[in-house]
Amino acid sequence: MVRDGIEYFGKMKTPWNGAFHSEKKNMKARVYVMLKNGVLDPQGEAVRHALGSLGFDGVEGVRQGKVIELDLADGTTEATVTEMCEKLLANTVIESYRVEMG
Amino acid sequence: MVRDGIEYFGKMKTPWNGAFHSEKKNMKARVYVMLKNGVLDPQGEAVRHALGSLGFDGVEGVRQGKVIELDLADGTTEATVTEMCEKLLANTVIESYRVEMG
């Protein structure tokens, strides 16, 4: 494996970035899912209460959501990730989502 | 309340942004909590499997974390939010966190 890396290094035009196997590039996508405004968030409410108990004053509201980090095959489009959100990752009745690529 | 809003509107130099009570400004902080690398993420694994079942190919890895949105009293520092993370929001043994202010 390391030998492959060294051979690859020899062929590279750009300076070595410190990573072997850089030929295996994946796309990353990040999806943020939050409860819509007006939807009760008991988990966030529990966190707010706990912060108060710990002596943190001035915490006026807490809402908790999800981050989902996806390692995707190269060339996956944002449209595909949006489809994943609509079909599985977010419950669009009560949750909103935001997709971040790269 | 609405009358206050209208009076305030009359004094504004920039176009009205649709919000009354904009004098009540809160700080926002966002905390991202992710499982550290090497820590097994069964929830993420379940999502990966489900995406495969739905016909989404090339999903090589999924990790799921939390976003916590905090409405804070004006003047709360990032140090305070970091303290909240250390004491409550993240389990620093298995989770890493990132704080974003504003």
Side-chain angles (χ1 to χ4, degrees):
Chain A
M1 299 290 247
V2 173
R3 203 203 282 162
D4 289 346
I6 288 167
E7 284 171 11
Y8 185 66
F9 178 47
K11 286 178 218 153
M12 285 175 80
K13 287 165 198 157
T14 49
W16 184 48
N17 67 354
F20 288 112
H21 308 298
S22 47
E23 70 275 16
K24 197 190 166 190
K25 257 191 302 182
N26 283 345
M27 287 198 69
K28 288 247 181 197
R30 223 173 248 190
V31 176
Y32 302 99
V33 181
M34 294 299 292
L35 283 170
K36 286 181 180 171
N37 285 333
V39 179
L40 205 69
D41 180 1
Q43 214 173 356
E45 205 48 36
V47 170
R48 195 182 64 79
H49 193 257
L51 285 172
S53 302
L54 285 172
F56 292 104
D57 298 323
V59 181
E60 281 152 40
V62 179
R63 302 212 34 103
Q64 185 165 330
K66 289 181 286 185
V67 208
I68 300 155
E69 285 189 356
L70 302 155
D71 283 326
L72 299 165
D74 216 7
T76 310
T77 59
E78 192 169 333
T80 308
V81 180
T82 303
E83 209 186 324
M84 290 177 188
C85 292
E86 292 282 339
K87 285 197 179 163
L88 181 78
L89 304 178
N91 176 355
T92 52
V93 177
I94 54 166
E95 291 172 330
S96 59
Y97 62 87
R98 187 161 55 87
V99 175
E100 226 171 58
M101 301 296 288
Chain B
M1 299 291 246
V2 173
R3 203 202 282 161
D4 290 345
I6 288 165
E7 284 170 12
Y8 185 66
F9 178 48
K11 287 177 218 155
M12 285 174 79
K13 285 164 199 157
T14 48
W16 184 48
N17 67 355
F20 289 113
H21 308 299
S22 47
E23 69 275 15
K24 197 189 165 192
K25 256 191 303 181
N26 283 346
M27 286 198 70
K28 289 245 181 197
R30 224 173 246 190
V31 176
Y32 301 98
V33 180
M34 294 297 294
L35 283 170
K36 286 181 180 170
N37 285 331
V39 179
L40 205 68
D41 181 0
Q43 215 174 353
E45 205 49 35
V47 170
R48 194 182 64 79
H49 193 259
L51 285 172
S53 302
L54 285 173
F56 292 105
D57 298 322
V59 182
E60 280 151 40
V62 179
R63 302 212 33 102
Q64 184 166 329
K66 288 181 286 186
V67 209
I68 300 155
E69 285 190 355
L70 302 156
D71 283 325
L72 299 165
D74 217 7
T76 310
T77 60
E78 191 169 332
T80 308
V81 180
T82 303
E83 208 187 325
M84 290 177 188
C85 291
E86 292 283 338
K87 285 197 179 162
L88 181 77
L89 304 180
N91 175 356
T92 53
V93 178
I94 53 164
E95 291 172 328
S96 59
Y97 62 87
R98 186 161 56 86
V99 175
E100 225 171 58
M101 301 296 289

